[in-house]
């Protein structure tokens, strides 16, 4: 089994910063790409930022220059540094990891449980 544990959400004021973490563990042979998504009430889930196994990154236009995605050297933990937060950043943030499972070598996408980020004006 694969487990993704997210942490770091909370209630902050506009202009504040937060750092989200997503730790992957379990029967992981190798992680490919990782990403952060968010879903606000009444809206579809959207990609916030992604990072490839080679370290390449991409960001939604709405967060460019404010958010930074990174991963640790072991490449099993991913972070999202969120600066200059705005009320429109309020959403449940999910991590997604694409990986191969040990043993079966099955490739699939796994999602975290989500962490709430609320930005007050």
């Amino acid at each position: 089994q694969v487990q993704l544990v997210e942490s770091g959400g909370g209630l902050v004021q506009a202009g504040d910063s937060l750092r989200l973490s997503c730790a992957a563990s379990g029967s992981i042979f190798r992680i490919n790409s990782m990403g952060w998504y968010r879903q606000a009430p009444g809206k579809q889930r959207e990609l916030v930022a992604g990072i490839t196994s080679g370290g390449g990154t991409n960001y939604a236009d709405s967060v460019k220059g404010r958010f930074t995605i990174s991963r640790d050297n072991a490449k099993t933990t991913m972070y999202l540094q969120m600066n200059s937060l705005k009320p429109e950043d309020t959403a449940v943030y999910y991590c997604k990891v694409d990986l191969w499972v040990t043993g079966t070598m099955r490739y699939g996408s796994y999602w975290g449980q989500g962490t709430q980020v609320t930005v007050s004006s």
Side-chain angles (χ1 to χ4, degrees), residues 4-121:
L4 299 181
V5 178
E6 300 178 24
S7 61
L11 171 63
V12 297
Q13 293 186 332
D16 286 350
S17 298
L18 277 176
R19 189 191 196 206
L20 305 183
S21 299
C22 173
S25 63
S27 302
I28 301 171
F29 175 74
R30 189 168 68 196
I31 291 176
N32 188 15
S33 58
M34 308 175 83
W36 287 99
Y37 290 72
R38 67 185 180 188
Q39 188 166 19
K43 294 187 177 181
Q44 290 188 332
R45 190 172 298 188
E46 62 174 358
L47 174 67
V48 176
I51 186 166
T52 68
S53 58
T57 59
N58 63 289
Y59 297 91
D61 289 342
S62 59
V63 306
K64 282 181 181 177
R66 299 188 298 122
F67 291 11
T68 303
I69 189 172
S70 62
R71 60 200 292 181
D72 68 348
N73 289 336
K75 300 182 179 180
T76 58
T77 301
M78 172 177 64
Y79 306 96
L80 185 67
Q81 178 66 44
M82 306 186 291
N83 298 329
S84 303
L85 282 162
K86 303 176 180 180
E88 50 263 44
D89 294 318
T90 295
V92 178
Y93 284 70
Y94 300 89
C95 66
K96 174 178 169 282
V97 180
D98 298 326
L99 57 84
W100 286 270
V101 174
T102 302
T104 64
M105 295 305 290
R106 183 174 60 191
Y107 185 77
S109 297
Y110 294 81
W111 291 86
Q113 79 281 5
T115 185
Q116 178 70 46
V117 172
T118 303
V119 184
S120 63
S121 58

